[in-house]
Amino acid sequence: MGPRINYELRITKKTLIALSTQHSALSTQHSALTSALKKVATIETETAPERVEIHAEHHPNLAHHFESMEQQREAGTLGMWWFLLTEIMFFGGMFLAYTVYRHMYFSAFAAGSDVLSIWWGTFNTAVLIGSSLTMALAVFHAQTGNSKKTTLFLLLTIFLGLVFLRVKYIEYSDKFAEHVFPAGAYEWPPHEAPAGPHNVGDLFLMLTGLEASHPAGITQQGMPVKVTTNYAESGPYYGVGGSIPEQIGNPSFGAHVRMFFLLYFAMTGFHALHMIIGIGILFVLAWQAWRKKFSREYHSYIELTGLYWHFVDIVWIFLFALLYLVDRHP
Amino acid sequence: MSSTTTTPADLGAVHTNGQELNYLNNGHGLKSWLLTKDHKRIAILYLLSVSFFFIVGGIFALLIRINLLIPTGVFSPDTYNRLFTAHGVIMVFLFLVPAVPAILGNFLLPIMIGAKDLAFPKINLLSWYLYVVAGIILSIAIFAGGIDTGWTFYTPYSTSYSNSNVLLAGLGVFVAGFSSILTGINFIVTVHTMRAPGMTWFRLPLFVWAHYATALVMMLATPVLAITVSLMAIERVTHVGIFDPAMGGDPVLFQHMFWFYSHPAVYIMVLPAMGVVSELITNLSHKNLFGYKFVVLSTLAIAIFGFLVWGHHLFVSTQSVYLGIAFSILSYAVAIPSAIKVFNWTATLYKGSISYDTPMLYGLGFIGLFLIGGMTGLFVAALGLDVHIHDTYFVVAHFHYVMVGGSLLAFLGGIHLWWGKMTGRQYPEYWARAAMIIQFAGFNLTFFPQFILGYLGMPRRYDSYPPEFQLLHVLSTAGASILGLGLGITIFYLIWSLKNGKRALANPWGAPGLEWRTSSPPPTENFLETPIVTWEAYEFAPIESMEVLGYPGDPGKPTQPVSADHGTED
């Protein structure tokens, strides 16, 4: 036993010595390599043309913790995209609630949707898509360094945003007048049928407030005719069961329509809040663009606001389809 | 620390009264702190405010334990409801969620990747202010009448029946959520765009990876909580049913939406803690972390799986049995990446040269307690068994093993590891070890009896209980007092060390990370020159070869141990 252990020890010692020689050689090599690598990296950093140039320039809008304008812009864009992702999750919660209850109480949701004005909805959709166009043009002109046109298109975007909010205001006040919402004075069916423009002339008059009262001829008492006629023979639906006319007498039917309106107000309300914030930002940007703050090199705030604005538009497209068009398919 | 001649003037390394300019003495007065955009100063602001709310939440915990000393309860049932709700709300939203990310993450993440600051310094400051506003709102809700719904705000109780400050609490939670979303965006963008030259993705320290994964969860889950409490508030104000079944709503929808946030939120609390533990274990066993890539992938896997398991909170809430089976299996699946981490930490210890300093003690404590917390998680994830132990003290013990034994210990371990880096002073080692052992003992005495209590059928959130449970409850209360004592000692000596602690050297642990290659405390822009990374993550080199960057006139700048007991021989 003894000698064998000694033998093993000898081997280990030998190996150790060999290893340590090897190790020291390797570590010398390693440190040489490391310093060489460092040199290369330093040279690369120093000779990278755009970096040197930008450093020399020191753009006044470059924050101290960024190395280059490009890095700053990339960070901003990435941040906005992630922010929009959180917004999707935020609206997603309401879309989930909507989906669940639309599935459970389809007929009540269809009846509620029928009270909304398809005219106003369509008009507003067009307005918002138009504002997306003007926003995109503002971004384009910012990228090409045209301050005047940037300002112009930012102001146009603001105008279209305000038109959208004006229409929303009319729609909301109609709903309040009809006692569809809020809940305290809620009655179903509503006292008056939904108001809405029926031709371009109505649209203009109502937008400008010249014609405050509803166009004659569409005011009717009780349940909107369309609901009763369209759904009378349609058979049973999910939820409380039975066809629409039966359900109208059902007390929970009113509660479910009310839920539709609650979701309508929550979803369009949060959307309108985003519009208001967006318009506020656009005002600041328009002012800055007019003062020639932006240039070909520095315009990322306009791009980022553009991303936000387009996102808000897309949310509306979904809201329009889900809230206004529920009963539009057979 | 004598060389100033070669350092760039705009980085401000000048001597003031013979002291090097660092982030702490670069600007004085309240205004220089309240309007700072320096991520390190914001981290200190977070440290102060989060610690404050931790102490408040801890006092509520002690009040809960006092109430349960006698079977009939000390306080009225109504008061007791408000006490445990206050404890839960404060600890979840104002301590556990921001603790590691907003303090340690804020301080270290930019330094660890070699950046000068987070990508959006102003937004970083904004998120601290939002946190403070949320803290004030929640404090008003708690102290001016209280909240009695439990931290989960279950409907329809919260929307139709509770006469406590539910709306205010919802607002506070909403604002706190906004704060954590902004922190998350900041972290993600910083890791993507601000890494130093040579800092590739697979050279990132695991602490950074953990915060990356956490930030993903924060951003994807928190908005859902925001909309959930908003809908809850709308229902409470308008009395139109969304969640209240009496008005046609569905309370289970609330539970789905709430847990879609709140289960991932568990990973918001524990993933950064795991990142801290990876650092503690590696740096104090002076050995490359075993299976770096596997730990990275398991971190991401936990973040992803975390989104798929919320339904295990709804096993007894009329959720479909088939859905329950799916959620049960998925919950088991989370155990795999968690186990990978534990195995990797253990394998890192194997044949390492371990120094049993306080951070390592916390790291080891974490592994043990997280193991118990995680394994009992499998008990409650089992569909059949959960019917028996759902809403009992078994669940309470389980999540406290993960949240206190896991997140809190890791947080404290991280605070000790980086205390010298943050403040420039080392904590007293002897007292710190003693405090850690007291906390560990107190913790186990508090929560182990609760496993037994829960298994015997003691339901959670009850203010009174049958007399045969009293022994276990008294043990638990005794443990809570010991735990409180241990935490008190830590708070005391940490404050004491600010004036009296030994001066911290740049690298007291002989650790390889970038944060150890700058002075303690670091200068305002973190490094005097932009670091260029030529080494892999956790590449332990002989201590002489790890120089402090930015002191060319001071070659080597050997980073010796502060004292023998902080020492490393290899």
Side-chain angles (χ1 to χ4, degrees), chain B residues 25 38 43 55 59 63 219 264 295 446-447 452 458 495:
Chain B
N25 58 22
D38 182 355
I55 293 169
I59 291 169
L63 289 173
M219 287 191 307
V295 181
T446 312
F447 291 106
I452 304 166
M458 169 81 203
I495 295 172

Side-chain angles (χ1 to χ4, degrees), chain B residues 127-213:
Chain B
S127 67
W128 179 70
Y129 275 103
L130 287 174
Y131 171 83
V132 172
V133 170
I136 292 170
I137 295 173
L138 288 175
S139 301
I140 294 172
I142 286 164
F143 290 104
I147 321 156
D148 64 354
T149 59
W151 77 277
T152 48
F153 307 116
Y154 265 23
T155 54
Y157 182 72
S158 60
T159 55
S160 302
Y161 303 105
S162 169
N163 57 2
S164 59
N165 295 327
V166 177
L167 283 180
L168 260 186
L171 182 66
V173 168
F174 189 101
V175 177
F178 212 150
S179 160
S180 94
I181 287 173
L182 293 181
T183 305
I185 292 178
N186 229 332
F187 283 0
I188 290 263
V189 174
T190 306
V191 175
H192 270 282
T193 60
M194 309 278 289
R195 282 169 288 128
M199 180 55 89
T200 57
W201 280 93
F202 281 108
R203 280 177 177 174
L204 289 175
L206 287 163
F207 182 85
V208 176
W209 270 112
H211 279 76
Y212 185 84

Side-chain angles (χ1 to χ4, degrees), chain B residues 358-371:
Chain B
T358 316
M360 184 52 125
L361 294 185
Y362 276 113
L364 295 176
F366 176 95
I367 294 179
L369 298 183
F370 176 73
L371 195 68

